[in-house]
Amino acid sequence: MIKNSFNNNKQLWQLLSLMALVFFSACGPKGENVSENTNKETISEDSLLNLVQYQTFQYFWDGAEPVSGMACERVHMDGIYPSDDKNVVTSGGSGFGLMALVVGIERGFITREEGVARFDKMVTFLETADRFHGVWPHWWYGDTGKVKPFSKKDDGGDLVESSFLAAGLITVRQYLSPNDPKEKTLIDRINALWEGIEFNWHTKGGENVLYWHWSPNYGWDMNFPVGGYNECLIMYVLAASSPTHAIDPEVYHQGWARNGDIGNDTTFYGLETELDHYETNNSPVGPLFWAHYSHTGLNPSSLKDKYADYWKLNQNHAMIHYKYAVDNPKGFEGYGENLWGLTSSYSMKGYAGHRPDEDLGVISPTAALSSFPYTPKESMQMLKFLYAPERDSLIGEFGPYDAFSFENNWYLPRYLAIDQGPIPVMIENYRSGLIWKLFMSAPEVQTGLKKLGFTY
């Protein structure tokens, strides 16, 4: 294990809070570093990483939907749920949650026995919950397993969200021991779920592209062929990796890579974007979750294909967001080297996709914190800024709240699974590479990557 187990979560919380105080004692009144190169400062940064990982992990532990054990789509600490969806659970967010639970076991936040029991509960739910050609919906009601439509015609299989979930299941499977009878049974059940996903069904009868949605009531009416670059790379990798319902390489090269057009990159803030971030408009760079969702498990460190160097892609993506905030062309309050990172999150106008060319003045902490592998110095600056005592209203039981705006004086104590989940996972990848090692060790994933022409 990475850390020794703790028998009592409350004791752990008290200890981690004390660690955070050690960090603050090495900072000035506004969170500035006083002695960056001292051993005390190094210990303080490590303690702060423990703290934010513990808090965000808790979203998927104490904050999970009680019947299914799955991740709630949202948790509002103010108790206000305008759509009455407190019991709605999410497939993609639960995929990140499965990875977060592995982190929790290894960091000693829960015991292995507790973690395995939660894995069993979630797998039991997935075995009976609604799915369509093996593909799960975006949302269910956690107490019944019945689909909750994401929109009118989005009431069936969501292949992108299902791929995030499948990546989490594969990670858990690789973590479990085949030598333990209970864990071996769970491995077999996970394999049945993973092998049941009909990726090739989503080529709509053999087209060389994957479609995002299929509905039992509306068929292919959503009509969303997925071309890159965006958050969906993992979907194509898993579709090529499937031992039972795989796609041909042409689906990746013609659909995702758009016959090579994906390679038409640009330069923004002096950095190459490496790939064309938008198929349908001229936006230079996307929201930062594109650098996180597929890469919670898919290790970009040495990942390359004929289109991109994926480490350069993601590192430049994060650094562009950082440089944009430092430049602050719109003059938004607070933006700078300690406050940066735009992604899809809550906003004053509801859920919104924030990026440099569509910026509302809203900062989403997950953007910088989940970028730790790519921008460790810049992400640590943001983490220290958030956890300074005078900004304690930005932090709650499950870590930093989803989004806020100094510019608009807008703050809500609310969380989204899809934003909290990458934080403990990507920080762990920065610290130990744990989730990357587990996911990349899956033989099917290795086969799929080679099939598509990746080196890693």
Side-chain angles (χ1 to χ4, degrees):
M1 293 184 68
I2 296 169
K3 297 288 182 182
N4 293 328
S5 293
F6 292 81
N7 294 322
N8 187 295
N9 284 342
K10 185 173 289 186
Q11 291 175 351
L12 176 60
W13 165 253
Q14 292 169 344
L15 177 59
L16 290 173
S17 297
L18 180 61
M19 289 176 173
L21 290 176
V22 172
F23 160 75
F24 291 133
S25 71
C27 298
K30 295 184 179 180
E32 302 93 338
N33 292 342
V34 175
S35 52
E36 287 189 0
N37 297 320
T38 66
N39 185 57
K40 185 175 183 180
E41 180 67 11
T42 302
I43 295 172
S44 299
E45 290 182 355
D46 188 69
S47 300
L48 190 56
L49 290 171
N50 286 341
L51 176 60
V52 70
Q53 280 189 288
Y54 174 77
Q55 290 176 328
T56 49
F57 154 82
Q58 282 293 338
Y59 183 98
F60 303 95
W61 186 247
D62 284 346
E65 196 281 321
V67 177
S68 63
M70 300 283 282
C72 295
E73 166 66 13
R74 64 194 86 242
V75 174
H76 292 177
M77 307 308 286
D78 56 10
I80 299 172
Y81 291 85
S83 298
D84 192 27
D85 55 357
K86 185 176 182 179
N87 66 330
V88 170
V89 299
T90 169
S91 50
S94 293
F96 302 143
L98 286 164
M99 294 176 174
L101 292 171
V102 172
V103 172
I105 296 170
E106 285 297 292
R107 285 284 161 191
F109 304 155
I110 54 174
T111 66
R112 188 178 183 95
E113 292 73 20
E114 289 173 321
V116 170
R118 178 61 62 84
F119 297 148
D120 178 84
K121 187 174 190 175
M122 296 171 74
V123 167
T124 298
F125 174 83
L126 292 173
E127 288 171 332
T128 58
D130 283 349
R131 62 194 306 203
F132 310 88
H133 292 273
V135 179
W136 292 290
H138 194 130
W139 287 340
W140 301 272
Y141 294 103
D143 51 347
T144 66
K146 298 301 180 184
V147 63
K148 154 96 171 159
F150 190 72
S151 64
K152 179 181 178 180
K153 293 186 177 181
D154 189 359
D155 62 351
D158 182 316
L159 194 61
V160 175
E161 298 293 322
S162 292
S163 296
F164 300 146
L165 178 52
L169 288 169
I170 290 170
T171 300
V172 168
R173 185 198 69 184
Q174 294 302 107
Y175 182 69
L176 297 171
S177 172
N179 298 318
D180 180 287
K182 183 182 294 186
E183 294 187 16
K184 174 60 168 65
T185 299
L186 197 49
I187 288 171
D188 293 339
R189 294 166 64 199
I190 288 172
N191 280 336
L193 292 172
W194 150 237
E195 293 174 8
I197 301 173
E198 296 180 26
F199 287 97
N200 55 354
W201 170 259
H202 278 254
T203 61
K204 202 164 80 171
E207 295 183 25
N208 283 333
V209 68
L210 285 170
Y211 283 81
W212 195 310
H213 313 93
W214 180 81
S215 162
N217 298 306
Y218 302 98
W220 302 105
D221 281 5
M222 292 287 290
N223 194 32
F224 197 150
V226 183
Y229 177 70
N230 48 53
E231 76 273 26
C232 304
L233 175 62
I234 189 66
M235 177 180 68
Y236 277 89
V237 170
L238 290 179
S241 304
S242 171
T244 50
H245 302 284
I247 59 169
D248 294 327
E250 290 75 20
V251 179
Y252 174 77
H253 295 296
Q254 294 183 30
W256 171 255
R258 296 150 42 207
N259 291 306
D261 286 348
I262 195 174
N264 296 329
D265 66 338
T266 188
T267 299
F268 194 46
Y269 277 95
L271 295 169
E272 296 175 351
T273 61
E274 191 70 0
L275 291 175
D276 177 17
H277 279 220
Y278 279 94
E279 181 178 7
T280 57
N281 63 47
N282 293 321
S283 296
V285 70
L288 261 176
F289 74 89
W290 290 5
H292 307 145
Y293 287 6
S294 282
H295 295 287
T296 50
L298 188 62
N299 185 355
S301 299
S302 56
L303 190 69
K304 298 178 181 179
D305 66 3
K306 65 182 180 180
Y307 308 110
D309 174 331
Y310 288 86
W311 184 257
K312 179 181 177 183
L313 168 76
N314 291 324
Q315 189 173 57
N316 283 3
H317 191 173
M319 281 303 301
I320 286 170
H321 275 249
Y322 172 77
K323 288 189 171 189
Y324 166 80
V326 172
D327 181 39
N328 194 12
K330 295 184 179 181
F332 286 139
E333 183 179 349
Y335 279 30
E337 63 181 13
N338 294 325
L339 191 66
W340 63 278
L342 308 176
T343 195
S344 295
S345 69
Y346 281 145
S347 77
M348 303 79 63
K349 299 181 179 181
Y351 190 76
H354 310 112
R355 60 187 197 236
D357 64 331
E358 291 191 5
D359 184 7
L360 301 175
V362 173
I363 292 292
S364 314
T366 186
L369 301 187
S370 298
S371 295
F372 251 101
Y374 315 128
T375 51
K377 175 186 174 183
E378 294 80 6
S379 294
M380 181 58 76
Q381 289 168 182
M382 172 76 165
L383 181 60
K384 291 176 179 179
F385 180 85
L386 288 171
Y387 276 80
E390 64 269 29
R391 283 177 285 277
D392 60 357
S393 62
L394 301 179
I395 310 296
E397 181 180 353
F398 301 136
Y401 293 124
D402 187 62
F404 61 90
S405 175
F406 290 162
E407 174 70 20
N408 298 284
N409 195 30
W410 174 81
Y411 313 92
L412 280 179
R414 297 179 180 180
Y415 297 103
L416 289 171
I418 209 80
D419 288 339
Q420 295 308 104
I423 297 174
V425 176
M426 292 300 279
I427 288 178
E428 192 57 49
N429 282 330
Y430 161 67
R431 299 180 83 182
S432 72
L434 173 66
I435 303 304
W436 282 343
K437 292 172 186 175
L438 289 170
F439 180 78
M440 297 295 285
S441 71
E444 308 99 310
V445 172
Q446 295 171 11
T447 296
L449 288 169
K450 291 174 183 176
K451 179 178 175 180
L452 298 180
F454 282 89
T455 58
Y456 56 92

